[in-house]
Structure formats: structure tokens, C-alpha cells
Amino acid sequence: MSTGAKKPSKILNYLYVGDKNHAKSKNLLKELNITHILNCTPNKNIDPLAGIPNYFEKENLFKYKRITIYDNGSDSLISHFETSYQFIEESKHYGGVLIHCRQGVSRSVSFTMGYLMKKNQFTAAEALAYIKTFRPVAQPNETFMKQLL
């Protein structure tokens, strides 16, 4: 399932949710003033199918944070929420933050929901409804939703 969107979804003035194609479009990232990227996939060396590289890491154009998580029924989001929240909070002062996974549907949306829940005291349902207004394809997997609830 590809989201097919030309641009990542702008959730807040400084926060975007996207997929692997957004993460590898240097011109798009610069155009949106994205300075920090939260990659919610495993390292490609560990899992060539599920992993998405930090495409411009060697060029030092963007600051990266990787959270190694799989879109499955057993990985824990909760154990990574504080790390993702702190990364976004520290990064927003420098420019935009892109949260991405492979398709921009489950993992990246789940971390965005967690951020909104802590930052704005949203419930999981409120956070998902809010994100869906900007990103209709948003759909965390069942296990992630249970953890968010």
C-alpha cells in the first residue's frame, strides 16, 4: 500500500508524517525546511526488506534518529515514546521534523499519535482523528492501537 502523496502530511507547523519516498527526496525535505528525521524502521543491514536507510546521513544535511521497530503484533511502541517525544521537542526549534516509516501508515502515525497524546493531552481516538484530517491513510496496526489506548 503506497500512500502516493507527493508531500508528507503536515500535522503541526513543525511536524510531518511521511513514507520512504518522502525520506529520500532531498529537494522536498529542503523545501519543507525539514532539519530532523525520525526513522521508525530497522536498519537496512539488519532487515533489507523492512529497513529504510537514513538516506543523507553521510552528508550531514539532516539530523537523524532511528527507532528500530517492526509493523507487527509484537513490537513495543511504549518503550520508545519518551525517546521519540524528546527528539521531536528538541528538534522543532531548528526546523521541521519528518517522522517516517515504509508507507507512512502505521509506525510513523503511531509515534505521531503518542506525541500528540503527551503534548496536547489527546486521547488515542482524538489523536488518530486529528491526524486523519491531514493524512487519511493513517491506520496504526491493532497492537499499536491497543498500546496507545
Side-chain angles (χ1 to χ4, degrees), residues 17-73:
V17 176
D19 60 29
K20 67 178 180 177
N21 294 318
H22 301 128
K24 69 178 175 183
S25 175
K26 188 190 305 184
N27 291 339
L28 177 62
L29 295 169
K30 287 181 170 185
E31 174 189 325
L32 296 173
N33 192 35
I34 289 172
T35 57
H36 291 68
I37 299 173
L38 180 61
N39 183 342
C40 305
T41 70
N43 190 303
K44 200 153 179 68
N45 298 339
I46 295 169
D47 189 331
L49 294 177
I52 305 296
N54 291 334
Y55 291 102
F56 309 107
E57 196 165 35
K58 290 183 176 145
E59 297 176 45
N60 288 322
L61 296 173
F62 310 99
K63 184 165 171 52
Y64 286 93
K65 177 80 173 170
R66 179 184 299 278
I67 294 180
T68 298
I69 190 161
Y70 291 86
D71 192 12
N72 62 28

Side-chain angles (χ1 to χ4, degrees), residues 12 14 21 23 38 46 57-58 63 68 83-84 101 110 116 124 127 145 147:
L12 299 170
Y14 54 88
N21 294 318
L38 180 61
I46 295 169
E57 196 165 35
K58 290 183 176 145
K63 184 165 171 52
T68 298
T83 300
S84 65
C101 53
S110 297
L116 292 173
M145 272 308 291
Q147 292 176 50

